[in-house]
Amino acid sequence: MRILFLTSAHNGLSQRLWIELGEFGHEIRVCVAATGEAMIAAVSRELPDLIIAPMLKIAIPEEVCSRHLCLIVHPGIKGDRGPSSLDWAIANHEKIWGVTILEAADEFDAGPIWASHEFALEADPPAKSSLYRGQVTEAALRGVIEAVARIGSGEFRSGSWRSEKLSDVSPYVRGCLRPPMRQAHRAIDWMRDRTAMIVRKIRAADSAPGVLGTLLGKSCFLYGVHEEERLQGPPGKVLARRDGAICIGTIDGAVWISHLKAKDPTAPKEVTYFAQAATGYQYCEAELYPAAGIKLPAAQVLGPLLRGVPEAPLPIDAPADHRTFREIVYTEENQVGYLSFDFYNGAMSTSQCTRLRDAFLHARSRPTRVIVLLGGADFWSNGIDLNAIEACADPAAESWRNINAIDDLIFEILNTMSHFVIAGLRGNAGAGGAMLALAADHVYARSGVVLNPHYRSMGDLYGSEYWTYTLPRRVGPRRALELTLSCKPIGTRAAREMGFLDDAFGEDTGAFEPELMERARRLARDPEFRVMLRKKHERRLDDEYAKPLANYRAEELERMRVNFFGPDPAYHEARRRFVFKGNPPPQGSRAPIRAAVEAINKSLEEVTSEGRKYGRVHHVA
């Protein structure tokens, strides 16, 4: 069948459906549409047999619905209607939720039902975005495949199968029409809400729209909540900070907030603006680049307001004996070291890349035989952090710092001769994050993971991460070129067949992790381990003799230098569209910003025996 996707974003769900339906032999076209006119034009151009809306925020025009069969993927149980289905499911402590495939109708989410699949919700629910990428995506996939099969088999056209009318099932279903969830529903009362309620409210709004609140007098949207079981303090008070996150007291404990988005771009200059100087983030009162509207680490958004708030560091190998916020965790078992790095949305900033490199070096120093890189549960990695880059005074310079920091990490993985390294992809991976996995000796993924091993959709970005070395050696030069130029997602079946992955297994994380651990244990116990390690070393020496890693990196970075600092602004424009969801604010001149950064760097060089002179620049550790 010729199927057209009408979607507001070609997101993980849309991409998964594209992959799976394509593997069934269907011809899929994707239209990312923001208006009814765009949908009408796409339908006229593609002439589809079927239209599917994986994630659509606006109604399909009647002109399209009246002439074509249109199926809507709705993230709710039968009878559920409204734009905040998952938000309400989490907020209302639903124990069972689901996905329904509906035929488009005049009333939103009220058309005939083609398929519906349910799943259990945990008592301690994941964030809405995690739920969407996990159980919702799997249920949606089953429902869409079921619906498409009914069309392909002729059941629908012959009349031997009929969809269910909502009016026929309404008396028997739990779902109902729910209003959009507003900030009034989400608001946190720090003096009344218990920790569990605060966690649930923020998770029901993560990753969009966030929960609007006021912290230290600054209006922000809150994201990335983690319960804290040991630190305590007055409700609403910022108690500590760690790796960019802040800890806030509650009436019965505390929570960590990893990310904030400043709401008001007219906030005081000393709060809203910051620059990047040679030694790290420096907050100043100069009129620099506004961070409002960009989701960033909480400590970065609050800046000087956190003066006096203590750090609460936690070693990466500290026992996991209480709930808290941890981005990087290292554990050992049976001669295997496990290094997980759970960065928000899979984005890795310069500082995160540096910390992860240090953590990897620690793992490599341990008397183990195998190191397993686990990434995060939702994302393995998506490469450099475009939000952090956009928020910097000089995005080109920060892009350069970030790409070099991730290259430094990958260099250490590639040159590990004391251990075998396994990459275990529990979640999706894209761009430099997908290439990061290829630095490992063995690459395994959970079945259903979506991979985007390309860069060019980000303003024709060339990419680094040693991809010109690692990708061709796995899939061959021709396929490597095809993957990086086509900018298409690939599924685990295709990735395994072409050699990008060594294997894919486990329908969910609960099934994937035990099998991954067993494979790592078998490798560590293999009687031929020393022989295999020596052969690995010899292959790396042969490759180095043929072409040094330094040459691959230099060639890649030369192309990246042009992307970052050259006359073509394509990368910078694409990054801004990505960060601001397609609607970037007007961009002013960067000249005052660059001048301010130069002044900061000059002041840092004027170090005297009496101490450093920062002028009006304030350190935030």
Side-chain angles (χ1 to χ4, degrees):
M1 261 191 297
R2 188 178 181 86
I3 301 175
L4 174 64
F5 284 5
L6 295 178
T7 185
S8 296
H10 194 30
N11 62 5
L13 170 57
S14 177
Q15 291 180 23
R16 180 76 185 283
L17 293 176
W18 183 89
I19 290 166
E20 298 284 348
L21 291 176
E23 290 180 351
F24 276 103
H26 300 293
E27 182 183 350
I28 316 296
R29 295 288 185 271
V30 179
C31 171
V32 178
T35 65
E37 290 77 9
M39 294 189 222
I40 293 171
V43 172
S44 300
R45 182 176 62 252
E46 302 297 345
L47 302 175
D49 301 311
L50 171 66
I51 294 172
I52 297 176
M55 196 281 289
L56 198 57
K57 297 179 179 179
I58 57 175
I60 298 176
E62 195 277 335
E63 178 180 334
V64 173
C65 294
S66 62
R67 299 177 183 177
H68 299 270
L69 176 59
C70 302
L71 298 182
I72 310 296
V73 177
H74 177 69
I77 54 178
K78 281 185 180 182
D80 177 79
R81 284 155 286 155
S84 303
S85 296
L86 294 180
D87 312 56
W88 286 115
I90 294 171
N92 291 343
H93 301 252
E94 296 285 354
K95 293 180 174 61
I96 300 292
W97 204 244
V99 173
T100 306
I101 311 303
L102 307 160
E103 194 171 330
D106 291 339
E107 183 184 350
F108 257 56
D109 307 324
I113 298 169
W114 279 63
S116 183
H117 290 270
E118 295 185 342
F119 49 82
L121 279 179
E122 299 175 13
D124 183 17
K128 178 175 65 172
S129 54
S130 298
L131 182 62
Y132 185 86
R133 283 189 288 267
Q135 292 169 291
V136 168
T137 294
E138 296 301 326
L141 177 62
R142 291 194 295 272
V144 168
I145 289 175
E146 183 180 317
V148 170
R150 283 171 173 156
I151 298 170
S153 67
E155 289 181 80
F156 172 62
R157 292 192 183 281
S158 69
S160 61
W161 175 86
R162 296 182 184 277
S163 56
E164 295 179 305
K165 293 182 179 179
L166 181 61
S167 57
D168 292 340
V169 302
S170 291
Y172 314 104
V173 298
R174 293 181 295 113
C176 62
L177 175 63
R178 300 177 193 271
M181 185 176 283
R182 307 296 186 188
Q183 287 297 335
H185 300 115
R186 306 182 193 273
I188 296 171
D189 185 338
W190 294 99
M191 303 307 296
R192 292 187 178 184
D193 290 344
R194 299 177 69 85
T195 299
M197 177 60 72
I198 293 170
V199 168
R200 190 172 288 273
K201 285 182 175 181
I202 297 177
R203 287 182 178 170
D206 205 340
S207 61
V211 173
L212 182 61
T214 301
L215 295 175
L216 302 176
K218 187 173 180 64
S219 183
C220 301
F221 292 94
L222 283 63
Y223 309 89
V225 65
H226 301 260
E227 185 177 346
E228 168 60 44
E229 290 185 326
R230 290 191 177 172
L231 297 177
Q232 291 186 327
K237 179 180 175 62
V238 179
L239 310 176
R241 48 186 168 164
R242 176 189 301 154
D243 298 329
I246 57 172
C247 184
I248 304 175
T250 66
I251 61 174
D252 60 342
V255 294
W256 288 92
I257 305 296
S258 70
H259 283 68
L260 299 173
K261 181 169 68 175
K263 178 179 183 292
D264 186 5
T266 62
K269 295 175 183 177
E270 68 167 348
V271 176
T272 309
Y273 300 94
F274 63 92
Q276 174 93 14
T279 59
Y281 288 110
Q282 314 292 326
Y283 296 85
C284 62
E285 296 169 10
E287 186 173 352
L288 300 180
Y289 191 60
I294 304 176
K295 196 182 299 184
L296 295 165
Q300 187 171 318
V301 173
L302 295 178
L305 296 174
L306 294 176
R307 293 189 190 101
V309 175
E311 288 280 355
L314 191 65
I316 62 170
D317 55 357
D321 55 1
H322 68 288
R323 294 188 178 189
T324 188
F325 168 72
R326 303 178 73 177
E327 284 187 318
I328 303 175
V329 179
Y330 178 73
T331 59
E332 289 179 4
E333 185 179 348
N334 297 322
Q335 293 186 300
V336 180
Y338 297 92
L339 184 61
S340 63
F341 44 100
D342 199 354
F343 300 130
Y344 190 82
N345 284 341
M348 297 169 60
S349 67
T350 301
S351 62
Q352 287 169 328
C353 289
T354 301
R355 286 194 287 114
L356 184 55
R357 173 182 172 272
D358 291 343
F360 179 79
L361 292 177
H362 170 76
R364 198 171 71 183
S365 72
R366 299 291 299 154
T368 53
R369 287 187 159 195
V370 176
I371 300 171
V372 178
L373 303 176
L374 278 169
D378 283 352
F379 291 103
W380 158 262
S381 170
N382 283 320
I384 61 177
D385 189 341
L386 299 178
N387 277 28
I389 289 168
E390 180 60 31
C392 280
D394 191 336
E398 180 55 24
S399 298
W400 185 255
R401 280 187 285 266
N402 204 162
I403 197 65
N404 274 281
I406 197 169
D407 280 1
D408 289 344
L409 164 64
I410 293 172
F411 177 81
E412 296 298 344
I413 299 172
L414 289 170
N415 277 310
T416 295
M417 298 302 130
S418 56
H419 294 68
F420 275 102
V421 181
I422 295 175
L425 281 66
R426 296 179 288 182
N428 298 345
M435 303 309 182
L436 167 62
L438 301 187
D441 303 300
H442 303 280
V443 185
Y444 301 126
R446 174 181 56 80
S447 297
V449 158
V450 175
L451 304 167
N452 279 281
H454 52 79
Y455 306 85
R456 291 184 182 271
S457 57
M458 189 55 60
D460 206 30
L461 195 65
Y462 185 75
S464 188
E465 291 96 4
Y466 295 91
W467 78 263
T468 52
Y469 169 61
T470 59
L471 186 59
R473 74 172 179 169
R474 274 196 162 265
V475 304
R478 183 175 178 180
R479 182 60 63 86
L481 191 63
E482 177 187 326
L483 289 172
T484 53
L485 291 179
S486 66
C487 295
K488 294 179 180 178
I490 59 173
T492 52
R493 293 188 192 92
R496 181 173 52 194
E497 290 170 2
M498 71 177 66
F500 190 100
L501 295 175
D502 293 303
D503 203 359
F505 45 84
E507 293 302 313
D508 54 29
T509 302
F512 174 69
E513 288 183 0
E515 175 63 19
L516 179 69
M517 294 174 71
E518 178 56 30
R519 294 187 184 209
R521 285 193 294 265
R522 286 202 302 265
L523 178 59
R525 294 196 304 258
D526 195 304
E528 298 296 310
F529 181 84
R530 292 296 177 190
V531 175
M532 293 187 296
L533 199 62
R534 186 177 69 249
K535 289 180 178 179
K536 168 188 172 177
H537 192 185
E538 290 170 353
R539 286 193 299 270
R540 176 80 281 280
L541 290 176
D542 290 343
D543 287 352
E544 188 70 13
Y545 180 78
K547 182 176 180 179
L549 285 176
N551 289 9
Y552 288 101
R553 179 168 178 168
E555 292 167 3
E556 292 168 1
L557 290 180
E558 185 55 37
R559 301 286 292 269
M560 294 288 270
R561 185 187 297 274
V562 175
N563 291 139
F564 296 156
F565 301 102
D568 186 352
Y571 156 70
H572 298 290
E573 292 173 351
R575 184 194 65 247
R576 285 175 55 75
R577 287 194 299 271
F578 174 85
V579 169
F580 292 104
K581 310 302 181 187
N583 189 31
Q587 188 173 13
S589 170
R590 297 266 180 181
I593 302 170
R594 294 194 185 97
V597 173
E598 290 172 4
I600 292 169
N601 289 333
K602 183 178 180 181
S603 71
L604 293 175
E605 294 172 0
E606 297 174 354
V607 178
T608 69
S609 59
E610 297 176 357
R612 295 184 178 181
K613 298 179 179 178
Y614 293 106
R616 302 186 76 184
V617 181
H618 309 290
H619 263 303
V620 175

